[in-house]
Amino acid sequence: MPEKDLNTALERIAEPVCRAHGVDLVLLRVNAQGHKGVVQVIIDRDRPEVEGSGVTIDDCTNVSRDLSTALDVHEDLFPGSYRLEVSSPGLERPLGRLADYERFRGREAKIKLKQPLDGRRRFQGKLLGVHGEEIEIEQDGAPVRISHEQIDRANLVYRF
């Protein structure tokens, strides 16, 4: 199964499990590690009264338990074994969905593209917002629009 199709199928399984536990699915990634697949799931809960993530270790444990059971039912997705990792987003939270870029408007982010845009693949600056299917980021004092489809990885930048 192509990677994009696998990720889509896994997200369809993971999202209801996350919702049932009152958390949002931030990111789901499948990585190969030897003959095993590693399914990385990052969850979050928007709690404005809490600095950072509103996710607890119990949230991660509960989502991991129920998601593991749900994935075992769909054993056709993984012909071999896999390891499931469920975690909070951390300080340098990954950005995946368009809503993430809007939610963190005004914050600094790093974006890596699949293909170069105007000769560069890496951008870092203040998130200015979302326009349709494009993310706007301030790069070197000027706004740059990037197609959401072209983003390979993106995350917030935490300054100590």
Side-chain angles (χ1 to χ4, degrees), residues 7-57:
N7 279 359
T8 300
L10 291 173
E11 284 177 2
R12 285 188 184 133
I13 296 167
E15 283 179 341
V17 172
C18 291
R19 274 195 310 273
H21 288 283
V23 297
D24 298 319
L25 176 63
V26 172
L27 188 68
L28 187 144
R29 247 188 238 137
V30 178
N31 298 313
Q33 195 173 56
H35 295 291
K36 264 188 176 178
V38 178
V39 179
Q40 295 176 315
V41 176
I42 299 176
I43 60 175
D44 199 4
R45 176 179 289 120
D46 188 13
R47 292 178 51 196
E49 73 278 7
V50 177
E51 180 66 29
S53 176
V55 173
T56 66
I57 190 72

Side-chain angles (χ1 to χ4, degrees), residues 73-86:
V73 171
H74 297 277
E75 62 187 33
D76 56 312
L77 293 176
F78 289 101
S81 59
Y82 68 91
R83 187 175 78 232
L84 177 62
E85 298 174 353
V86 178

Side-chain angles (χ1 to χ4, degrees), residues 115-131:
Q115 301 292 325
L117 173 67
D118 297 331
R120 68 186 310 160
R121 289 184 61 182
R122 297 178 191 275
F123 294 81
Q124 183 169 335
K126 183 167 69 169
L127 290 173
L128 301 175
V130 176
H131 304 277

Side-chain angles (χ1 to χ4, degrees), residues 145-158:
R145 287 195 180 186
I146 300 169
S147 168
H148 186 245
E149 282 292 314
Q150 287 301 314
I151 296 174
D152 182 34
R153 290 184 186 237
N155 60 279
L156 294 177
V157 174
Y158 182 79

Side-chain angles (χ1 to χ4, degrees), residues 55-151:
V55 173
T56 66
I57 190 72
D58 288 338
D59 291 325
C60 293
T61 301
N62 293 334
V63 169
S64 179
R65 180 194 63 234
D66 292 350
L67 184 54
S68 179
T69 301
L71 291 176
D72 287 346
V73 171
H74 297 277
E75 62 187 33
D76 56 312
L77 293 176
F78 289 101
S81 59
Y82 68 91
R83 187 175 78 232
L84 177 62
E85 298 174 353
V86 178
S87 65
S88 67
L91 293 174
E92 295 202 338
R93 181 193 201 283
L95 303 168
R97 300 164 198 263
L98 287 167
D100 294 337
Y101 294 91
E102 190 61 41
R103 176 180 171 195
F104 295 104
R105 176 195 299 241
R107 299 272 308 269
E108 186 177 356
K110 288 191 294 190
I111 298 176
K112 180 182 173 198
L113 302 182
K114 295 173 186 172
Q115 301 292 325
L117 173 67
D118 297 331
R120 68 186 310 160
R121 289 184 61 182
R122 297 178 191 275
F123 294 81
Q124 183 169 335
K126 183 167 69 169
L127 290 173
L128 301 175
V130 176
H131 304 277
E133 295 291 317
E134 294 181 322
I135 283 68
E136 189 171 38
I137 187 169
E138 184 178 285
Q139 180 67 50
D140 301 325
V144 176
R145 287 195 180 186
I146 300 169
S147 168
H148 186 245
E149 282 292 314
Q150 287 301 314
I151 296 174

